[in-house]
Amino acid sequence: MKSKLKIFTDFSEGVLPHEASFLQKENRIRDDEKEEILNKVCRNAERFFTSEEFDEEIDKRKYTYIKKWISQKLERADVDAHLEYLSFIEKQVLTDTITSAEEKELLEYIHVYDHTSFYFQKFYELVREYQDYLLVRFRYQDCEITEAFLKQNQKYYQRSLEVKDEIFHATKDLTRQYTSQKINTKHWESRLLEYLYDNKLDGRNKYHAFIRLVFLYFNYKEYEKAREVFDYIDECFKDGLMYSRRVLFNYYANRVILHSNLKDLDQAEYYAHLSVKQDNSDKLFYLNNLVAILLKKDKNKEALDLLAENYKLFKSSFNHHQKLGFATHYLRTLVRNKRINIAETFAKNFLYENRKNVFEHRWSRFFSNYLMLLTTAEKPVEVIKLTKKYNLLERETEELGKENLIPKIHWYYHLANYLNGQYSEDKFFEKMIQSIEASNLNSEGVRALSEFIDRLSFTLPGFFSKLKSHFNENALYS
C-alpha cells in the first residue's frame, strides 16, 4: 500500500549526515511532534542503511512545516545558492536593471557581510561594481556605505587574492606529481596548513587548501595526516560552514579514498554510497570509487548491477580519466561474474573508440585487466598480440621503478608465451623472477603481489605455488 507520506519520505531520504548535524544545532522547534519528525529525519540520515518509519497519525501539515523548515535552513547556509544570488545581482548591476528591492537587500548584506564567508572575494568585487553604479548616479550617501566596506575589507581581499594565486601554483605542482611522480611537493604542506587553519581567511580558499592537502597526503600515502584535516573540516560542516551539497559530495568521495587506504572498507563503502546520492558532473568519479570498494569486499553482483545502471552516464561522459576507470572496473566485474564474452566485446569496442586517450592516465590498470580477461578466456595468442600491438612491455618497463608497481603485464605476457609453447617451464620461471627483481616493493607491495599470484594460480596451480614458495624462501614475504 502506498504510504501517505511518500513525498516527505523521499525528501527525507535525501538529507545527508552533515546536513542533519547542522539542522540539529539550528533546532529551536518547541512543538513535540514537529521536533520528533525532525529528529527522526536526522537519525535516518546518520544511519543510512536502516531507517525508522514516520508516524502517519501525525497531522500532515506538520510534515509540510518540517520539510519547508529544513529546505529554508539548508538554503540559507548553502554557499552555492549564495553564489547564484551574487551572480544574479552582479548581472543586474552591470546591465542597469537592479530594482529598489534588490538594492535594499544588497545594502543590508554590505552592513553585515563577513570576510570569512565562502564567496567573500566575489562579494567584494560585486560591491566595487555597485559603487561604480552609485557614483555615476551621484548617490553619495550610499557610496559612503560601499566605500566603508571596501576600505575595511581591502586587506582581507588582497590576502584572499594572494592565497588564491598560491593555491593555484600548488595545484599545478600536485597534479603534475600525481601524473608523473617526478616532482617534490612537500614544501606546500606548511603553507596549505596555514591557509586551512587561518580563521580570518575566506571559506573558499580554506576549503581549497583542504582539498590540496588531501591531494598532497594521498600522493605521499600519509593517511593519518590526512585524517587530521578531514576531522577538522568535518566539524566545520557540522556547524554549517563551507556547506553546499556539491562540496559535501566531493568531501564524501575523498573520505572513500581515505578509509579505503586505511583498510576500513565498511566506512569507505558508507561514504561511497553517500557520494553517489546526487547526479552531478563528478558522479562518474564517485561511482568508480564505490565500485572499487564493492569489488574489494567481493560484492561482485552488486558492483555489476551498479555499473549497468550507470552505463549511459559512462557513454556520455567527456572525462577520459574517469571513463577509463569505469571501463577497467567494468572489465573486472564482468570477469568476476563470468560474463566473459560480453567483457571481450566491451574491451575491443572501448579500446577502438578511445585509442587516442587510453594512454593518458593509468592505462596499465585497463590493459592488465584486459589481459586477465584474455587469460581467463584461455586466449594466450591474443594476449601476446595485444601486448605487442600497443608496446605494453616497453611502457610498463618505463614505470617499473615506481613503488609497489607489480609487473602484471610482463607476467601475463610470459604466462601466455608458456601456455603457447614458446617458453620452457624453467625459462618461464626465470622470466617471472627477473621481472620482480626489477620492481620496488615494500611490505604493502609484497602483500599485493601475493594476492596477485593467488588470482593467477587458476591457470597453473602447481607452478604458481612453486613461485610463491620461492619468494618465501628468499625472504620476499618476510
Side-chain angles (χ1 to χ4, degrees):
M1 186 174 70
K2 184 177 179 181
S3 170
K4 297 177 183 178
L5 300 171
K6 184 178 186 310
I7 293 175
F8 182 83
T9 301
D10 290 345
F11 167 79
S12 69
E13 287 175 354
V15 176
L16 301 171
H18 288 83
E19 292 175 333
S21 296
F22 169 66
L23 292 170
Q24 290 282 34
K25 290 185 177 181
E26 289 289 300
N27 179 17
R28 302 292 184 272
I29 296 171
R30 292 296 173 260
D31 181 287
D32 291 342
E33 288 185 328
K34 289 178 181 177
E35 187 170 23
E36 177 53 28
I37 294 169
L38 175 63
N39 289 339
K40 194 168 288 188
V41 169
C42 293
R43 287 197 297 270
N44 286 345
E46 294 288 348
R47 292 172 182 172
F48 188 70
F49 290 116
T50 60
S51 61
E52 301 176 39
E53 293 185 2
F54 294 99
D55 186 352
E56 294 186 0
E57 298 301 316
I58 295 177
D59 190 333
K60 286 183 68 175
R61 287 174 294 183
K62 295 188 177 183
Y63 285 99
T64 301
Y65 173 88
I66 292 298
K67 181 182 176 184
K68 183 178 179 181
W69 183 89
I70 290 173
S71 298
Q72 289 177 341
K73 286 291 183 182
L74 294 180
E75 185 175 2
R76 286 176 191 149
D78 189 337
V79 297
D80 286 349
H82 183 58
L83 176 62
E84 289 182 16
Y85 163 79
L86 295 179
S87 298
F88 171 75
I89 295 299
E90 181 183 46
K91 177 179 176 293
Q92 296 295 87
V93 171
L94 293 176
T95 58
D96 300 333
T97 54
I98 189 168
T99 67
S100 297
E102 289 164 352
E103 284 197 75
K104 181 182 178 183
E105 185 177 18
L106 177 57
L107 287 166
E108 288 173 354
Y109 258 126
I110 292 172
H111 279 297
V112 300
Y113 209 86
D114 192 281
H115 61 268
T116 64
S117 297
F118 198 85
Y119 285 113
F120 162 72
Q121 190 180 124
K122 177 77 173 176
F123 185 79
Y124 188 93
E125 291 164 357
L126 168 61
V127 173
R128 202 161 50 190
E129 291 289 351
Y130 182 52
Q131 184 178 43
D132 184 66
Y133 172 91
L134 296 172
L135 283 169
V136 297
R137 287 163 177 78
F138 303 104
R139 292 172 53 185
Y140 298 127
Q141 187 173 353
D142 289 333
C143 277
E144 290 179 7
I145 297 172
T146 56
E147 182 67 19
F149 175 86
L150 293 173
K151 283 186 176 179
Q152 182 179 350
N153 291 282
Q154 184 176 15
K155 63 180 180 180
Y156 300 118
Y157 176 69
Q158 290 299 327
R159 166 75 169 159
S160 177
L161 291 179
E162 291 167 4
V163 171
K164 180 181 178 182
D165 188 59
E166 283 285 283
I167 291 177
F168 170 73
H169 290 296
T171 305
K172 288 174 69 176
D173 284 352
L174 289 164
T175 52
R176 275 198 293 264
Q177 182 187 29
Y178 175 76
T179 53
S180 69
Q181 297 188 345
K182 295 179 180 177
I183 182 171
N184 187 328
T185 59
K186 262 304 204 176
H187 61 284
W188 285 112
E189 181 182 9
S190 59
R191 194 82 59 87
L192 291 169
L193 285 170
E194 175 192 341
Y195 300 153
L196 176 64
Y197 296 122
D198 186 349
N199 290 326
K200 294 183 179 180
L201 194 61
D202 62 288
R204 188 165 184 257
N205 273 324
K206 280 170 68 72
Y207 186 71
H208 283 185
F210 161 70
I211 291 296
R212 275 59 177 180
L213 276 167
V214 170
F215 219 131
L216 186 149
Y217 290 140
F218 284 179
N219 280 350
Y220 284 101
K221 297 181 172 58
E222 295 179 332
Y223 302 116
E224 289 301 332
K225 284 187 176 182
R227 192 204 294 266
E228 290 181 17
V229 297
F230 270 103
D231 289 345
Y232 170 78
I233 215 76
D234 196 83
E235 292 303 314
C236 292
F237 288 146
K238 288 177 181 177
D239 290 333
L241 302 176
M242 296 180 275
Y243 159 76
S244 79
R245 289 179 72 85
R246 170 188 62 84
V247 169
L248 273 183
F249 286 127
N250 177 264
Y251 168 78
Y252 293 148
N254 280 294
R255 286 214 77 133
V256 175
I257 301 171
L258 173 69
H259 291 293
S260 179
N261 283 296
L262 290 170
K263 313 303 181 188
D264 186 355
L265 296 185
D266 289 339
Q267 278 289 89
E269 183 183 357
Y270 172 78
Y271 283 107
H273 277 290
L274 283 174
S275 71
V276 298
K277 287 185 75 171
Q278 186 182 40
D279 290 329
N280 58 27
S281 60
D282 291 321
K283 183 166 183 179
L284 199 59
F285 166 57
Y286 303 155
L287 182 72
N288 283 333
N289 288 342
L290 174 54
V291 172
I293 299 302
L294 293 176
L295 291 175
K296 286 182 179 180
K297 298 182 75 173
D298 291 324
K299 294 185 176 182
N300 301 320
K301 177 63 167 57
E302 188 176 336
L304 182 58
D305 290 344
L306 190 65
L307 290 167
E309 289 169 14
N310 291 275
Y311 194 80
K312 287 184 179 179
L313 175 66
F314 155 72
K315 292 293 288 185
S316 62
S317 175
F318 292 100
N319 187 323
H320 299 300
H321 187 184
Q322 296 306 327
K323 286 189 78 168
L324 185 63
F326 183 102
T328 301
H329 289 319
Y330 197 42
L331 276 182
R332 290 177 65 197
T333 308
L334 287 169
V335 170
R336 288 194 184 189
N337 286 277
K338 305 187 186 308
R339 307 286 183 87
I340 304 302
N341 292 335
I342 297 174
E344 281 194 74
T345 301
F346 170 78
K348 288 178 183 177
N349 291 340
F350 177 81
L351 192 51
Y352 176 77
E353 294 169 2
N354 296 273
R355 56 195 180 279
K356 293 182 179 178
N357 312 109
V358 75
F359 288 104
E360 285 182 5
H361 304 286
R362 300 197 173 190
W363 57 271
S364 60
R365 292 189 178 186
F366 171 78
F367 279 104
S368 63
N369 279 279
Y370 195 171
L371 296 178
M372 169 59 97
L373 159 66
L374 295 173
T375 302
T376 304
E378 299 181 356
K379 295 184 176 181
V381 174
E382 295 299 317
V383 170
I384 295 168
K385 283 183 180 179
L386 187 70
T387 304
K388 290 182 176 179
K389 180 178 180 180
Y390 292 98
N391 300 316
L392 299 182
L393 292 182
E394 292 80 358
R395 292 178 186 274
E396 188 175 65
T397 299
E398 291 177 3
E399 300 189 352
L400 276 183
K402 291 182 180 179
E403 186 177 57
N404 290 336
L405 192 148
I406 299 169
K408 295 181 180 180
I409 290 170
H410 278 73
W411 277 34
Y412 286 123
Y413 179 75
H414 297 323
L415 174 59
N417 274 284
Y418 173 73
L419 294 173
N420 203 41
Q422 292 168 276
Y423 285 178
S424 67
E425 183 172 321
D426 288 344
K427 182 176 181 181
F428 177 34
F429 191 85
E430 182 183 349
K431 289 282 188 181
M432 300 294 262
I433 297 299
Q434 286 176 348
S435 63
I436 288 301
E437 288 175 346
S439 299
N440 178 19
L441 305 181
N442 60 22
S443 57
E444 182 181 344
V446 168
R447 283 194 298 271
L449 175 62
S450 178
E451 292 171 2
F452 182 54
I453 291 175
D454 291 340
R455 288 199 298 274
L456 272 183
S457 63
F458 74 94
T459 57
L460 298 166
F463 176 86
F464 283 103
S465 176
K466 175 184 172 185
L467 187 67
K468 200 169 184 177
S469 296
H470 172 84
F471 290 142
N472 281 323
E473 290 169 8
N474 287 273
L476 184 59
Y477 289 165
S478 61

